[in-house]
């Protein structure tokens, strides 16, 4: 802004920041919240792999219910993480920023369009991208795109955006698949399929359905 006022530059410069879910949902949230509250013009992209993957696979507040991590180990004491994941996109929308969205690496066209829209607004914008982690999630690396697709088809990770308070659903599955199709493909959830943990699978599906219905109502009420 100073360089533009002094006439040294006249081009429109886009600033993009990248962070993981630990640095976004948790340890860096204070700085992120302050920056968007001040209305700085930048796009913040969260690369969400749902745990602190590069420091030992510890749970974060992005980690789903029941997931096994090194700090929420599934065993005799607990059946994995006991809490549900934080809805970071909704928290960013609550800051009244002009644009926030959720995306995956699987639907590249949807992601590219959201980046373009995010960079076009005056003020702060935010995109949360689900980025599967073969090591932390426990699946073959060649299944990464499939894991992203299943997250959307089961409505665990809806593709949506909110521009100036108006919600829009970007994709609706032709047939909503049960969330167990996504869970059973990952080692971090294999303990949930033991008979004693069946109630957690039921609770997981119920929460997915609740959040999906809530999102549909928000999209209908602001469209």
């Amino acid at each position: 802004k100073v360089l533009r006022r002094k006439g040294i530059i006249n081009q429109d410069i886009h600033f993009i920041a990248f962070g993981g879910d630990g640095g976004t949902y948790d340890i860096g949230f204070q700085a992120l919240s302050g920056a968007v509250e001040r209305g700085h013009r930048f796009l913040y992209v969260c690369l969400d792999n749902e745990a602190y993957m590069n420091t030992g696979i510890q749970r974060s507040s992005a980690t789903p219910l029941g997931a096994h991590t090194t700090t929420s180990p599934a065993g005799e004491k607990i059946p994995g993480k006991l809490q549900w994941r934080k809805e970071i996109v909704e928290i960013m929308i609550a800051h009244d920023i002009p644009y926030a969205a959720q995306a995956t690496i699987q639907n590249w066209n949807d992601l590219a369009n959201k980046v373009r829209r995010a960079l076009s607004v005056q003020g702060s914008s935010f995109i949360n991208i689900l980025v599967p982690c073969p090591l932390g999630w426990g699946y073959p690396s060649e299944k990464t795109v499939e894991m992203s697709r299943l997250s959307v088809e089961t409505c665990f990770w809806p593709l949506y955006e909110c521009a100036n308070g108006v919600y829009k659903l970007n994709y609706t599955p032709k047939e909503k698949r049960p969330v167990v199709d996504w869970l059973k493909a990952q080692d971090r959830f294999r303990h949930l399929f033991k008979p004693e943990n069946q109630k957690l699978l039921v609770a997981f599906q119920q929460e997915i359905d609740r959040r999906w219905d809530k999102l549909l109502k928000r999209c209908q009420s602001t469209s």
Side-chain angles (χ1 to χ4, degrees):
K1 290 180 180 178
V2 173
L3 293 176
R4 188 176 286 111
R5 284 200 303 268
K6 291 182 177 180
I8 297 174
I9 62 172
N10 58 13
Q11 67 265 42
D12 191 18
I13 299 175
H14 296 293
F15 294 91
I16 305 176
F18 293 90
D21 53 277
T24 303
Y25 287 65
D26 300 335
I27 58 179
F29 181 73
Q30 179 184 20
L32 173 60
S33 178
V36 300
E37 186 274 331
R38 292 188 295 272
H40 295 304
R41 188 183 180 189
F42 74 113
L43 165 59
Y44 189 99
V45 178
C46 177
L47 303 175
D48 190 344
N49 55 25
E50 301 189 325
Y52 290 85
M53 296 302 185
N54 65 349
T55 59
I57 315 177
Q58 298 92 352
R59 56 88 83 194
S60 76
S61 59
T63 306
L65 174 75
H68 168 85
T69 72
T70 55
T71 50
S72 63
E76 295 181 1
K77 298 294 184 181
I78 60 172
K81 190 188 174 199
L82 299 176
Q83 303 81 20
W84 191 251
R85 61 180 296 274
K86 185 189 293 182
E87 290 191 280
I88 192 68
V89 176
E90 295 305 313
I91 294 171
M92 298 311 296
I93 292 171
H95 285 70
D96 201 25
I97 59 176
Y99 187 82
Q102 191 158 273
T104 67
I105 60 170
Q106 176 261 338
N107 194 323
W108 62 268
N109 192 48
D110 174 75
L111 174 56
N113 287 332
K114 285 172 177 173
V115 171
R116 293 188 188 98
R117 286 193 282 272
L119 293 175
S120 71
V121 303
Q122 296 297 321
S124 307
S125 53
F126 179 87
I127 299 178
N128 198 29
I129 307 174
L130 185 67
V131 182
C133 176
L135 180 62
W137 291 19
Y139 68 89
S141 58
E142 65 270 18
K143 298 289 187 180
T144 292
V145 173
E146 173 68 8
M147 296 308 303
S148 294
R149 186 182 67 81
L150 278 174
S151 73
V152 175
E153 295 295 333
T154 59
C155 297
F156 171 81
W157 196 266
L159 302 181
Y160 75 101
E161 61 190 339
C162 183
N164 297 311
V166 178
Y167 281 79
K168 180 181 179 181
L169 192 63
N170 306 116
Y171 177 79
T172 303
K174 291 182 180 179
E175 182 178 351
K176 184 170 174 282
R177 296 179 61 171
V179 75
V180 293
D181 289 354
W182 184 71
L183 297 174
K184 67 185 179 183
Q186 305 171 57
D187 284 347
R188 62 176 177 161
F189 293 116
R190 63 183 177 183
H191 57 281
L192 296 183
F193 292 87
K194 295 180 179 179
E196 63 268 27
N197 290 326
Q198 285 299 303
K199 63 178 184 288
L200 284 175
L201 288 178
V202 174
F204 204 113
Q205 185 65 66
Q206 289 175 339
E207 182 64 10
I208 292 295
D209 295 340
R210 185 189 72 82
R211 293 191 179 197
W212 175 248
D213 290 342
K214 183 172 66 173
L215 176 61
L216 291 178
K217 289 176 182 178
R218 283 173 172 165
C219 292
Q220 293 167 358
S221 65
T222 61
S223 60

